[in-house]
Amino acid sequence: MFLFKKVKAGALQYVLVVSVIIAILILTFITLMHLHQKVKLKGVLYKKSIENVQYTFDLLETQKINNDNTTKNQLDNTTTTFKNWGIYKIAHVTTTKNNEFFEKVGLLGGFKQKKKALYLQENNKPLAVVGNTKIIGDANIPKLGIKRGNIAGTSYNSNTLLYGKSTLSSTKLPEIENISVLKEYFSSALLNSKVSFFELEEGKHFKNSFKKETLVYNSNYPIYLRNISLTGNILIKSNSNITIHSSAILEDVIVIAPKIIIQNRVKGIFQAFAKDTIEVKSNTTLNYPSALVVVNENKIDNNNSPEISIDDNCQIKGSILLYSTSESMNFNPQVHIKEKTTITGEIYCNQNLELMGTVYGSVYTNHFLTKQFGSTYINHLYHAEINSTKLPIQFCGLPLEHQKYTVAKWLY
């Protein structure tokens, strides 16, 4: 009897091939399991990084943010860098978790849950409402209250003077927390910060991330923005004036000059800072979060007056600010809002405001003033509407006292 039987070489090769295939399959399975665990861990760490960044932004809503540019740690390996950007602040949050990196950039503005329709400073004068005027929402008004007015035979058309609760106002408007920062936009110190300069070219598209240095174009001469696209972390400054044509596309940029003219049918999202005058022509649309800002520290009289003038049929979504240190009384409006123009946001004017259009949001002013039929009427609202109930709850803008910051727009 044969104890051993000769095996053919082909069978051995077959066994060897099968063994190799099985080994490869096992090795592949082990590799896939390792890769799966690695991807799973990577996903967990990346998710944790995202959570840290979002938690940091949520935390900002409960904290007071200083005006200075600061960097501070919120969580382990999470850093927040702040930068002033017009009336807003930019928060750049970065986090690292086991080599997993995540970052987010947000534009922060002042936020208050319950928004007033009106804050009229106490000047020992009542508010007179005339014509189709409506004030819808809570209001701070002078102790002499609201009364029915009459201009050239036109009286108040409604039975209710205020569609909301009234509270007495103070002899001062709520303070703007970053007003000192806003004044710096007209000083040369602004250009001494960490910036890079570039040259404007008509027909070009310039885009700059808020994760990079600010791009600046500075000129002593008038600037005419036409057939150009500017997006992001860009600042345009003139020591003369800036004119913006409807062919210019501006998004998230800041323009600075003593005088700024926004021509007919301009569409964009930007902040305009002027020392003296901002003129907005008809049919202009500025989307949220835009801002029109005049900060003037000269004495105001009837011959020398800063102003923001917005023509008819305009749509402005954002903040309008006229701030002057002058305490002298004058009889000219410093902010004019014409008929059929709608402001969705807020108007802050510590001088005289002539409101002929509609505000879906809040108005803060020292006096109302309107010029009709050759006469000047102090603290009169004529065919105007202020309605805080139509302002989106998410709106944020000027950082007034007792307000927190929250995200107005994600920039990255």
Side-chain angles (χ1 to χ4, degrees), residues 280-285 310-316 336-344 354-360 382-385:
V280 182
K281 302 298 185 183
S282 300
N283 301 299
T284 289
T285 300
I310 303 178
D311 281 350
D312 57 347
N313 294 306
C314 292
Q315 301 286 328
I316 311 295
H336 313 251
I337 310 295
K338 299 292 180 65
E339 300 91 341
K340 299 180 181 179
T341 281
T342 300
I343 311 298
T344 302
E354 183 175 35
L355 178 60
M356 305 286 291
T358 300
V359 177
Y360 294 144
Y382 183 61
H383 294 315
E385 180 180 347

Side-chain angles (χ1 to χ4, degrees), residues 346-365:
E346 60 191 353
I347 299 175
Y348 186 108
C349 172
N350 71 344
Q351 298 295 320
N352 299 325
L353 166 63
E354 183 175 35
L355 178 60
M356 305 286 291
T358 300
V359 177
Y360 294 144
S362 304
V363 173
Y364 302 82
T365 189

Side-chain angles (χ1 to χ4, degrees), residues 170-228:
S170 171
T171 54
K172 289 186 177 180
L173 295 177
E175 293 184 1
I176 301 172
E177 289 190 349
N178 66 343
I179 192 64
S180 59
V181 173
L182 302 184
K183 293 177 182 178
E184 292 178 1
Y185 276 84
F186 306 103
S187 69
S188 58
L190 179 70
L191 302 182
N192 295 330
S193 58
K194 198 173 182 181
V195 299
S196 298
F197 293 91
F198 77 110
E199 291 296 324
L200 279 179
E201 296 180 39
E202 189 172 319
K204 294 291 185 178
H205 180 194
F206 296 93
K207 186 174 183 179
N208 189 38
S209 169
F210 282 96
K211 299 188 296 179
K212 300 179 180 179
E213 289 184 348
T214 301
L215 286 179
V216 175
Y217 178 77
N218 184 38
S219 175
N220 290 321
Y221 303 101
I223 297 174
Y224 196 76
L225 296 176
R226 178 177 58 187
N227 296 323
I228 195 168

Side-chain angles (χ1 to χ4, degrees), residues 108 190 218 238 312 372 386 394:
L108 308 180
L190 179 70
N218 184 38
S238 169
D312 57 347
Q372 301 293 330
I386 304 172
Q394 299 87 354

Side-chain angles (χ1 to χ4, degrees), residues 173 176 272 274-280 291-296 300-301 304-312 314 316 318-324 330-339 341-343 345-359 362-372 376-377 379-382 384 386 398:
L173 295 177
I176 301 172
K275 268 187 177 181
D276 301 321
T277 305
I278 296 178
E279 295 180 13
V280 182
L292 303 175
V293 179
V294 169
V295 177
N296 187 286
I300 295 178
D301 55 44
N304 178 29
S305 177
E307 69 173 4
I308 298 175
S309 177
I310 303 178
D311 281 350
D312 57 347
C314 292
I316 311 295
S319 301
I320 296 172
L321 168 64
L322 186 137
Y323 181 90
S324 173
N330 66 92
F331 298 98
N332 286 321
Q334 278 67 57
V335 176
H336 313 251
I337 310 295
K338 299 292 180 65
E339 300 91 341
T341 281
T342 300
I343 311 298
E346 60 191 353
I347 299 175
Y348 186 108
C349 172
N350 71 344
Q351 298 295 320
N352 299 325
L353 166 63
E354 183 175 35
L355 178 60
M356 305 286 291
T358 300
V359 177
S362 304
V363 173
Y364 302 82
T365 189
N366 182 15
H367 286 102
F368 286 108
L369 183 151
T370 185
K371 293 190 173 186
Q372 301 293 330
T376 300
Y377 297 85
N379 264 9
H380 279 61
L381 272 175
Y382 183 61
I386 304 172
L398 291 168

